[in-house]
Amino acid sequence: MSDTHDDRPDAATSAPESPAAPLHRRGIKSYVLRAGRMTIAQTRGLEEVWPRLGLTLAEGRQDLDALFGRRAPRVVEIGFGMGASLIEQAEAHPETDFIGIEVHAPGVGKLLDEADKRGLSNLRVYREDALRVLEECLPEASLDTLQLFFPDPWPKTKHHKRRIVQPAFVELVRTRLKPGGTFHLATDWAAYAEWMAEVMNAAPGYRNTAAAETAPYVPRPEFRPLTKFEARGERLGHGVWDLIYARDA
């Protein structure tokens, strides 16, 4: 998907949008769909496993207890990439239900294939725009955690309007979290980490869980798997910043 917006610099795009900004902004997406070759395993995931673990917007508002057949902690991850981290979490925590949201077919196919091979029953997947899934499919106050790990930083000032972390988005996330539920963000771009902290610290109804000596950031929690990309970055001396905010009661 190409950027249809004017490339001229605009000072208004270099700061987060107001909370009143519409979430479905015409022509503006936080992601770009890229074509990619599908492996046999990825194709199998989409063709054979999807009917069992895949979810669609057309299904509307979900009853999560009915969907998973139990009442359990619920975690949603937006933009899971190739799914390695989400698979690891779902396998390590069978007592928790996970929902992944990703638009790229190879990643969705890979995750589904792995979930099937490992016999995971606590994982479901949307191949949809995350904003629409949050707005149309996930009930209010239904999530214990929402994870947003390494979203596209859109580093150019003219593209900052494409960043998913905006006041309107974090307010939508807040409404889907249970009181006390957490929004966990991570990025390897220092400037985006600062942006995230600015947006979150200004957002009503959240509190930063970081200790005073590390605020606004927290050390990488043990429960967040270390990705291959992140491990490589650490070896090269690249930084990673985690932020965890809790919804007020």
Side-chain angles (χ1 to χ4, degrees):
M1 184 179 297
S2 62
D3 184 359
T4 60
H5 286 263
D6 194 329
D7 284 341
R8 292 173 296 177
D10 182 348
T13 67
S14 63
E17 296 179 346
S18 74
L23 289 175
H24 292 313
R25 293 159 289 162
R26 184 182 301 275
I28 300 179
K29 295 285 188 182
S30 62
Y31 58 86
V32 174
L33 286 174
R34 300 179 179 89
R37 292 185 176 181
M38 298 285 293
T39 66
I40 293 175
Q42 291 165 359
T43 300
R44 173 186 173 273
L46 288 175
E47 293 181 352
E48 298 181 19
V49 187
W50 174 267
R52 180 161 49 88
L53 301 183
L55 303 171
T56 67
L57 293 175
E59 296 172 38
R61 190 78 68 199
Q62 295 283 354
D63 178 335
L64 298 182
D65 289 350
L67 177 66
F68 287 99
R70 64 178 181 175
R71 180 167 295 178
R74 303 272 154 69
V75 177
V76 167
E77 181 167 333
I78 293 176
F80 57 74
M82 297 305 289
S85 171
L86 188 54
I87 285 288
E88 184 175 336
Q89 292 177 77
E91 189 168 43
H93 300 283
E95 76 286 354
T96 299
D97 295 329
F98 293 83
I99 297 176
I101 308 173
E102 176 59 65
V103 294
H104 298 286
V108 173
K110 174 67 172 177
L111 180 110
L112 290 170
D113 180 64
E114 283 294 324
D116 184 60
K117 288 177 178 176
R118 302 186 191 203
L120 301 180
S121 60
N122 61 331
L123 179 61
R124 300 291 187 276
V125 184
Y126 280 99
R127 186 184 169 192
E128 306 280 4
D129 184 318
L131 295 180
R132 294 196 64 187
V133 173
L134 291 176
E135 289 178 323
E136 302 173 25
C137 303
L138 299 180
E140 293 188 6
S142 63
L143 307 179
D144 293 87
T145 302
L146 190 137
Q147 301 175 165
L148 180 68
F149 298 155
F150 307 102
D152 194 324
W154 294 103
K156 294 182 179 180
T157 299
K158 66 185 179 183
H159 291 152
H160 284 183
K161 60 181 174 287
R162 289 178 172 268
R163 288 176 168 175
I164 190 171
V165 179
Q166 303 281 353
F169 170 72
V170 302
E171 170 58 19
L172 175 60
V173 170
R174 189 191 67 81
T175 66
R176 268 48 188 174
L177 291 172
K178 297 176 182 177
T182 56
F183 183 20
H184 184 181
L185 310 90
T187 181
D188 59 339
W189 281 75
Y192 200 11
E194 294 172 359
W195 172 290
M196 289 175 170
E198 176 186 349
V199 172
M200 293 303 302
N201 288 337
Y206 282 102
R207 59 178 176 82
N208 193 333
T209 67
E213 58 269 22
T214 64
Y217 310 111
V218 299
R220 181 181 70 85
E222 292 185 0
F223 59 78
R224 181 172 73 74
L226 185 69
T227 66
K228 291 181 180 179
F229 173 81
E230 186 179 356
R232 177 179 179 274
E234 285 190 351
R235 291 195 299 270
L236 296 174
H238 298 170
V240 172
W241 293 266
D242 283 78
L243 304 96
I244 300 180
Y245 289 78
R247 175 183 170 173
D248 288 339

